[in-house]
Amino acid sequence: MKPNNNGIKITWFGHSAFLFESHRGKNILIDPWLDNPKAPAGAKDIANVDLILITHGHSDHIGNSIEIAKRTNAKIISIFEISLYISEHGITNTQGMNKGGTVDIDGVKVTMVDAKHSSGIDYDGRLIEGGEPAGYVIEFENGFRIYHAGDTALFGDMKLIGEFYKPDLVILPIGGLYTMGPEEAAYACRLLMPKYIIGMHYGTFPALTGTPNELLKLLPLALKDSVVELEVGQQITF
Ligand code: NI
Ligand code: MN
């Protein structure tokens, strides 16, 4: 994999948590469960965050969003129902949205797309309505586009996401059990035909058994060079 010089810096914190830094210095966190079992020590003390994106209501995705937003004054973007929940927990800088919509934050365009999963919020042993699960397409100021699929099964409209939004990089769950495994993710890559592929939501617990290597073996030849295997805490520039 040879990244082009797009100037987008990406750090994986384990599970589905990523930091994207735009070439103009915007820091965007997605699904920031930064004290997951694989996260680098102290990750949740991250200092500069402009935006936090949440894909769905499960605790391994809302993660440390609320405490990070309180500390950094980052704006939290999520589906409408989760934004109500976030507001009830003392965060006023939220932007609720829904699938098909786009918000433009100082030149970074965030579009919410579909995902096939569930989205109840586990709060003190009670289940709270979390709307529907989602994925995001993020378009940076220079046009580079990332599709972060959230937690999802394989679904046919990934082809539509590929054709319509033309993501350069796709970040797909590969762990299995709660999401797609490597076989489904490999097929998703055929539908999306991206330049770069990153696997997530694997290895956090023993039950999430899929690996980037399995994904790589299952990809067609034309996509085999596209897989980027990240180590947790490692920053890579696209
Ligand atoms: Ni989930
Ligand atoms: Mn999950």
Side-chain angles (χ1 to χ4, degrees):
M1 195 289 299
K2 276 206 175 54
N4 296 319
N5 196 15
N6 295 291
I8 310 297
K9 295 182 186 142
I10 298 183
T11 309
W12 185 40
F13 293 110
H15 210 58
S16 301
F18 291 84
L19 175 67
F20 307 134
E21 299 178 55
S22 81
H23 68 294
R24 285 198 204 150
K26 268 240 158 321
N27 290 331
I28 300 160
L29 264 180
I30 185 161
D31 283 353
W33 182 29
L34 299 190
D35 51 3
N36 74 71
K38 300 285 175 179
K44 72 183 172 61
D45 302 322
I46 184 166
N48 298 310
V49 185
D50 299 295
L51 269 186
I52 296 172
L53 313 183
I54 299 172
T55 60
H56 65 289
H58 294 158
S59 57
D60 56 322
H61 297 262
I62 290 183
N64 310 99
S65 295
I66 292 170
E67 59 185 85
I68 294 170
K70 279 186 180 156
R71 189 162 45 73
T72 64
N73 201 34
K75 181 189 283 289
I76 298 183
I77 293 179
S78 66
I79 206 158
F80 172 71
E81 288 81 357
I82 293 177
S83 79
L84 287 183
Y85 168 83
I86 296 286
S87 306
E88 280 173 11
H89 288 77
I91 305 294
T92 49
N93 193 10
T94 65
Q95 175 66 62
M97 64 183 300
N98 219 311
K99 294 173 191 178
T102 298
V103 290
D104 185 332
I105 310 284
D106 299 332
V108 176
K109 298 190 186 84
V110 177
T111 301
M112 183 175 279
V113 296
D114 204 9
K116 300 294 180 194
H117 191 66
S118 59
S119 192
I121 301 170
D122 173 0
Y123 180 61
D124 281 349
R126 278 186 304 136
L127 197 62
I128 296 177
E129 168 66 45
E132 286 199 1
Y136 289 99
V137 175
I138 302 134
E139 182 181 326
F140 293 90
E141 304 97 324
N142 60 2
F144 189 79
R145 289 181 190 166
I146 297 175
Y147 167 44
H148 182 296
D151 278 4
T152 188
L154 175 64
F155 60 100
D157 280 356
M158 285 180 174
K159 186 171 188 343
L160 190 65
I161 291 170
E163 286 175 1
F164 192 78
Y165 296 108
K166 299 181 175 61
D168 298 283
L169 162 66
V170 301
I171 304 178
L172 302 175
I174 61 169
L177 188 59
Y178 298 104
T179 69
M180 299 193 287
E183 288 186 57
E184 291 83 2
Y187 199 89
C189 291
R190 289 171 190 258
L191 299 179
L192 290 157
M193 290 306 287
K195 292 194 197 88
Y196 312 112
I197 300 161
I198 290 176
M200 64 172 171
H201 213 274
Y202 70 91
T204 327
F205 332 103
L208 307 184
T209 56
T211 65
N213 212 27
E214 284 174 78
L215 171 66
L216 187 62
K217 282 188 201 147
L218 295 160
L219 285 172
L221 208 53
L223 286 168
K224 280 195 194 289
D225 277 345
S226 305
V227 176
V228 182
E229 190 171 346
L230 292 177
E231 300 291 325
V232 288
Q234 178 198 1
Q235 185 189 71
I236 158 164
T237 303
F238 280 82

